[in-house]
Amino acid sequence: MVEIEGERVLAASCIRKPSENMKVFSNSNKATKSRSLVLELLDSDQPKEIVHNPNSHFLEVNDKTKLNDNRFLSKSRPEPDSSHPAIAVNLDACIQCGLCVRACREVQVNDVIGFSGRGSETKIVFDFDDNLGESTCVGCGECVQACPTGALMPKTVLDENQNFKFEADRKVDSICPYCGVGCQLTYNIKEDKIISVSGRSGPANKGRLCVKGRYGFDYISSPERLTKPLIRLENSVKRKNDKFNTDYILSNFREASWDEALDYASKKLRNIKNTYGPNSLAGFGSAKGSNEEAYLFQKLIRTAFKTNNVDHCTRLCHASSVAALLENIGSGAVTAPFSEAKNAEVIWVIGANPSVNHPVASTFIKNAAKNGSKLFILDPRGQALDRYSEDSINFLPGTDVSLLNGVIHTIINENLYNKEYVKTQTIGFDDLKKSTENYSPENMEKICGISAERIRHLAREYAKSKSIIFWGMGISQHTHGTDNARCLISLALLTGNIGLPGTGLHPLRGQNNVQGASDAGLIPMFYPDYKSVEGNHGATMSDFWHTELDNKKGLTVVEIINAAHDGELKGLYIMGENPAMSDPDQNHARAALANLDFLVVQDIFPTETSSFADVILPASAWPEKDGTVTNTDRKVQIGRKAVPMPGDAKQDWWIIKEIGVRMGLNWNYDSPKEIFNEMKNVMPSLNGITWERLEKENSVTYPCKDEFSEGSELLFKDGFPTPNGKGKMTSTSILPPDETINDEYPLVLTTGRLLEHWHTGSMTRRSNVLDKIEPIPEVHVSPSQLRSVGVEPGDFVNVSTRRGKIKLAVRVDNALQDDVIFIPFCFNEAAANILTNSALDPYGKIPELKYCAAKIEASV
């Protein structure tokens, strides 16, 4: 409360705007007494016998004001609510400041918190969904972070009576270990244990976090952590149907010293190479680790194994997107950050569900939509963003190319394209025009199921506006995934929607370092910074690494598994990946792993893949290491070691180095910083980015001119990094998915993630909070499909495809079309990828995980 000269009534400073010549008195007697009275009134309702949060801003202000004994009676206090696995609600400490409401409504745009009652009966309430039987709260914790009193608190700092128990003795700034958004956060630590996580105002998240980033950190303290190197017992036999569990590890492996395990692993790998040749070996790296680990791992495979058979999970998410981007605009990265949504007049979200897969990025999209941007959702499934959209276009599964070609046809035939831009900045227009002549909205309507009128409206809105496109694995995980991305690129080039504020192409990266791992060369056809292994770059890299290199493209993830199944690949080194859960057609994948002569698995937990290992090496979790990662926006960010590793676990880069030394490499790295400095010598993308700068600034976007310049958020305003400097429009044909539905398999199965779980669940299933929220595998079906099967929600059903069958519970999902079912792939109890199709996109070599024919039956 402040006093303003000439006004009889005091003003609330937080909502009063200053004007010219206004005189404001913040410490006048009237203002000071008023503030004291307000605090006294608020304090009268605070719990006296329990201090909920000693870090409370409200208590801090109270202490500074030095209130005397309170003169007011307190009202009755509501009972605490501890029903949520992560958040404790103690409304006895609430002062109705409204910060939680604003955090939910204006920052995260979830709108699940509000006020009810009037006067002294005013209180905070949460929404309630009759279909769910609970609130639609997504557990992001933004309200908890905003609360100044402790009325909302993370349960991890409370005891069983909901009283404050833990206060951090130190804090460490780092990066979230989950999706590609790259949220900056702070670990709050007590006696070398993370007790809570706070959002930090990084450029990608502005202080925001999701439920995984805020509450999914306790996986690192799981009793299932690997703490000793393990070697398979000599009489143990690997079988594809082995079920992973702790008892399996105890009965089939023995503990070993690091020297024994590393010597044994390197000797076996050397013997395989000497006996069968370099291409009998391969490596799977990880996008869950750092840039330095990815670089060192691919260097090991290329210089010690002498093969380009190295890949990682990008082959299962955005390989087709990268293939199309490199082909058509000369760069595999995004052209604009997701924050550019704020400057866009039109936003497309196609084949993506950001509220689930990239929750913090979705808040920027929702912010933009509420501020007037027109949001179009294009996806066979409905989603939470639909409520903010101009139109939600639920086309038939697998018909993306037909819909997009209908849009392209409209833009060309109605002369909506940017003629000057097409003439000066692109090639391929005439071929694109000819190839889409017969793809009128009327013709495409029959294929994609969307009316010609809606297709034309979509085309006109995109072409006439500053427009940005976000896409996900609904675009990429198809046998026509590269064609899907080609269509999106052609749309941007047709309209000149690249390089300007509010425009661009943005494939939303799935894991925390998919972009960085790909940049670092953890792919079979490229060295770091996408230099072809078949071109002249091989000689340059050979000189730099002081060794001869293979000049042929290596095998991709699925091709490596196929080669192992056929007996052509004998040895495999897997760091931080779980192909026994993530690869399609898992019966085939697991049989391939069982068929290997030798398998090394390096991970923080025993995984389904480790059931087939000969050596298991205990590694470091993200909060236990220093290193850099690159997010979906091209932001290179630094993560810092916060807590020690358990037992004898070691840093991933150290394990890779020791394997290399034992295979004859003259390596003597002593820190991630040293590896990063080597990367800078062969990666122009890191120009202007130093380890010291990252330690100071935390985040730098590439490309960056020099150490004194800001990174470039928007790319390609004045041309493209292609041989002729122009973007290319590529024609596409309309092809069906690899397999289609029929009378025996009448449903389309699609897979993906849940908000609370990530990738194969090896981390999030071991987080107590996250697993309590989503504890069991379920198949999502439409209400109509539920009735046709004749079961109730929660009943068990069998889902079958041509490759296998799994049993799981059924959940009603109103967002699904009647002939589409959805299964998350994070539950090993009912592994969705037993069912999925391994057919590959011919360009990106990505499997068709988003479409296969299935049937569902009641379980007897």
Side-chain angles (χ1 to χ4, degrees), residues 702-760:
Y702 78 77
C704 188
K705 182 180 178 182
D706 54 48
E707 293 180 35
F708 308 101
S709 304
E710 295 293 324
S712 301
E713 296 278 321
L714 300 176
L715 298 184
F716 314 136
K717 177 183 178 181
D718 300 314
F720 299 92
T722 55
N724 56 16
K726 296 184 177 183
K728 176 185 176 185
M729 290 180 272
T730 301
S731 304
T732 57
S733 300
I734 298 173
L735 300 172
D738 180 68
E739 63 180 34
T740 53
I741 59 177
N742 57 22
D743 291 341
E744 183 181 4
Y745 296 102
L747 304 175
V748 175
L749 167 64
T750 186
T751 66
R753 295 176 181 158
L754 297 173
L755 169 63
E756 294 79 9
H757 288 303
W758 185 67
H759 209 233
T760 65

Side-chain angles (χ1 to χ4, degrees), residues 5-273:
E5 186 178 75
E7 297 184 8
R8 296 178 60 186
V9 180
L10 294 174
S13 63
C14 60
I15 60 173
R16 184 65 181 271
K17 292 184 178 179
S19 60
E20 191 174 356
N21 297 322
M22 177 187 284
K23 292 184 178 180
V24 181
F25 303 94
S26 60
N27 289 318
S28 68
N29 185 56
K30 188 176 180 180
T32 302
K33 282 189 174 182
S34 176
R35 284 200 298 271
S36 179
L37 178 62
V38 170
L39 284 167
E40 188 177 358
L41 285 164
L42 292 173
D43 185 64
S44 69
D45 290 329
Q46 287 294 298
K48 297 297 186 294
E49 68 277 8
I50 300 171
V51 177
H52 282 294
N53 184 358
N55 299 317
S56 158
H57 175 64
F58 176 72
L59 292 177
E60 180 186 348
V61 174
N62 256 2
D63 290 341
K64 288 180 178 178
T65 307
K66 296 179 181 178
L67 290 176
N68 296 320
D69 291 339
N70 201 299
R71 297 169 290 169
F72 301 102
L73 295 175
S74 62
K75 61 185 179 184
S76 59
R77 299 178 195 148
E79 291 294 318
D81 181 355
S82 60
S83 58
H84 193 277
I87 302 170
V89 181
N90 297 287
L91 293 183
D92 56 347
C94 179
I95 59 173
Q96 289 87 45
C97 64
L99 289 175
C100 60
V101 176
R102 294 187 62 190
C104 187
R105 184 172 296 164
E106 299 173 21
V107 180
Q108 293 276 355
V109 200
N110 290 323
D111 294 321
V112 301
I113 306 178
F115 285 112
S116 72
R118 295 180 68 83
S120 64
E121 300 303 315
T122 301
K123 63 179 181 179
I124 293 292
V125 293
F126 295 81
D127 74 344
F128 188 86
D129 187 294
D130 290 330
N131 293 322
L132 294 175
E134 59 187 17
S135 170
T136 60
C137 171
V138 294
C140 68
E142 194 72 34
C143 57
V144 178
Q145 185 161 296
C147 180
T149 68
L152 299 169
M153 292 188 68
K155 278 188 170 181
T156 49
V157 300
L158 305 178
D159 64 18
E160 63 275 6
N161 296 317
Q162 302 297 293
N163 299 328
F164 193 86
K165 181 180 180 182
F166 299 111
E167 186 172 359
D169 54 36
R170 61 187 179 93
K171 299 174 181 287
V172 176
D173 293 338
S174 192
I175 305 295
C176 179
Y178 289 111
C179 79
V181 171
C183 295
Q184 292 190 22
L185 50 74
T186 297
Y187 294 118
N188 303 307
I189 301 162
K190 174 75 171 180
E191 297 176 353
D192 282 340
K193 299 289 184 184
I194 298 173
I195 58 171
S196 66
V197 171
S198 306
R200 193 156 50 97
S201 189
N205 64 314
K206 308 298 184 186
R208 311 170 194 193
L209 293 176
C210 76
V211 65
K212 292 190 292 291
R214 196 179 302 277
Y215 301 115
F217 56 84
D218 57 331
Y219 73 92
I220 67 168
S221 302
S222 167
E224 295 183 57
R225 280 292 299 271
L226 290 168
T227 60
K228 298 277 188 182
L230 301 172
I231 293 177
R232 180 177 288 275
L233 297 172
E234 291 184 7
N235 60 352
S236 172
V237 178
K238 292 184 272 188
R239 297 176 297 273
K240 72 174 183 178
N241 59 349
D242 278 338
K243 294 289 185 181
F244 161 74
N245 54 45
T246 304
D247 290 338
Y248 179 88
I249 297 297
L250 292 174
S251 59
N252 287 275
F253 289 83
R254 64 173 176 83
E255 291 184 358
S257 69
W258 272 104
D259 280 337
E260 181 188 10
L262 292 169
D263 287 344
Y264 177 57
S266 56
K267 178 181 177 182
K268 295 290 286 188
L269 293 169
R270 272 199 322 271
N271 289 344
I272 290 172
K273 184 180 80 168

Side-chain angles (χ1 to χ4, degrees), residues 236-491:
S236 172
V237 178
K238 292 184 272 188
R239 297 176 297 273
K240 72 174 183 178
N241 59 349
D242 278 338
K243 294 289 185 181
F244 161 74
N245 54 45
T246 304
D247 290 338
Y248 179 88
I249 297 297
L250 292 174
S251 59
N252 287 275
F253 289 83
R254 64 173 176 83
E255 291 184 358
S257 69
W258 272 104
D259 280 337
E260 181 188 10
L262 292 169
D263 287 344
Y264 177 57
S266 56
K267 178 181 177 182
K268 295 290 286 188
L269 293 169
R270 272 199 322 271
N271 289 344
I272 290 172
K273 184 180 80 168
N274 294 337
T275 303
Y276 301 102
N279 288 321
S280 63
L281 294 174
F284 287 164
S286 176
K288 296 193 285 288
S290 67
N291 288 323
E292 295 73 32
E293 292 160 357
Y295 172 83
L296 202 61
F297 188 86
Q298 61 86 32
K299 183 180 178 183
L300 171 78
I301 303 304
R302 289 182 160 120
T303 60
F305 289 17
K306 296 293 186 179
T307 178
N308 288 314
N309 294 338
V310 61
D311 210 351
H312 74 294
C313 71
T314 191
R315 199 63 47 202
L316 304 174
C317 57
H318 269 301
S320 50
S321 302
V322 172
L325 288 165
L326 286 170
E327 171 193 40
N328 292 286
I329 64 173
S331 168
V334 303
T335 70
F338 54 75
S339 59
E340 270 307 303
K342 68 180 181 294
N343 296 318
E345 296 169 336
V346 165
I347 302 167
W348 276 24
V349 174
I350 179 169
N353 190 351
S355 298
V356 168
N357 297 318
H358 304 85
V360 170
S362 77
T363 68
F364 290 86
I365 296 171
K366 289 184 283 187
N367 289 153
K370 290 191 74 172
N371 287 332
S373 300
K374 292 182 179 180
L375 174 62
F376 291 88
I377 309 296
L378 296 81
D379 198 285
R381 294 175 65 203
Q383 57 178 276
L385 284 180
D386 289 348
R387 64 189 287 200
Y388 306 99
S389 68
E390 171 96 353
D391 194 6
S392 180
I393 298 172
N394 302 134
F395 56 91
L396 296 175
T399 63
D400 316 62
V401 172
S402 61
L403 171 65
L404 295 174
N405 272 322
V407 172
I408 291 171
H409 172 96
T410 301
I411 291 172
I412 294 175
N413 276 39
E414 295 186 5
N415 288 313
L416 300 175
Y417 62 95
N418 186 326
K419 298 178 180 60
E420 181 63 22
Y421 187 89
V422 167
K423 179 181 178 181
T424 60
Q425 300 286 341
T426 75
I427 60 173
F429 173 77
D430 291 338
D431 289 341
L432 184 69
K433 180 179 180 180
K434 183 177 181 181
S435 71
T436 56
E437 283 178 353
N438 296 322
Y439 293 160
S440 67
E442 285 76 14
N443 289 337
M444 296 302 97
E445 174 182 353
K446 302 168 188 174
I447 301 173
C448 69
I450 301 301
S451 71
E453 180 183 355
R454 289 174 77 189
I455 294 174
R456 285 199 172 89
H457 177 67
L458 180 66
R460 291 163 184 162
E461 290 290 339
Y462 178 84
K464 293 178 180 179
S465 309
K466 291 191 301 180
S467 302
I468 189 169
I469 301 175
F470 299 99
W471 74 89
M473 282 162 261
I475 283 291
S476 59
Q477 287 179 336
H478 291 279
T479 50
H480 55 270
T482 304
D483 279 348
N484 286 343
R486 285 167 172 159
C487 288
L488 298 177
I489 295 165
S490 292
L491 279 169

